[in-house]
Amino acid sequence: PKVQVFGGWSKYSAFVDASSPLALTSTSYSGLVLGLKGEVPVDEAEIYTMGASLELYLTKDLTESPQSSGSTNSNSVNTFSLYGFYKVSPKLRGVGSLDFESYSTTFGGDGTRGERGQNSSQRIILFSGGLEYLF
């Protein structure tokens, strides 16, 4: 089994085309991240490996453009991932991952767009797969 603690800076952006009247804004969430990742082999030959990753955002900043929905905001960011590996050869393995992400904001005060936004949320579920070559 392997356990990894990691940290860094993360940024997620969602862009909206211009609309008239302004209904949605482009958003960008960023912050300092502390993460935990763990992997465990499923069989003795270590052909199959399963793992999970969790990221905790220590800071959660939101920027909007072209205008803001509120002068203050309370942000929530959650990310979680389940993944697995299949060893094809000593240097090649197949990878599959199921990622869950949630970004939400509750606005307070008046922003620059006239009407105050109340809340906003974006949820992402992503399944991906591929091959990794290990040097």
Side-chain angles (χ1 to χ4, degrees), residues 29-52:
Y29 290 88
S30 60
L32 186 61
V33 177
L34 180 64
L36 180 64
K37 187 176 187 178
E39 296 177 7
V40 61
V42 177
D43 59 340
E44 285 189 31
E46 296 187 16
I47 294 182
Y48 295 98
T49 303
M50 299 297 292

Side-chain angles (χ1 to χ4, degrees), residues 43-117:
D43 59 340
E44 285 189 31
E46 296 187 16
I47 294 182
Y48 295 98
T49 303
M50 299 297 292
S53 176
L54 173 67
E55 295 179 355
L56 173 65
Y57 281 69
L58 303 175
T59 62
K60 301 166 272 230
D61 300 319
L62 168 68
T63 56
E64 291 181 282
S65 67
Q67 296 182 7
S68 67
S69 300
S71 60
T72 61
N73 53 53
S74 173
N75 304 315
S76 173
V77 178
N78 299 300
T79 63
F80 180 74
S81 179
L82 298 171
Y83 57 91
F85 300 112
Y86 172 73
K87 189 179 202 180
V88 178
S89 71
K91 293 194 174 200
L92 184 67
R93 63 185 184 177
V95 181
S97 177
L98 183 59
D99 302 318
F100 302 92
E101 299 180 20
S102 174
Y103 303 88
S104 63
T105 299
T106 300
F107 296 101
D110 293 329
T112 59
R113 64 186 251 173
E115 294 184 22
R116 178 179 3 155

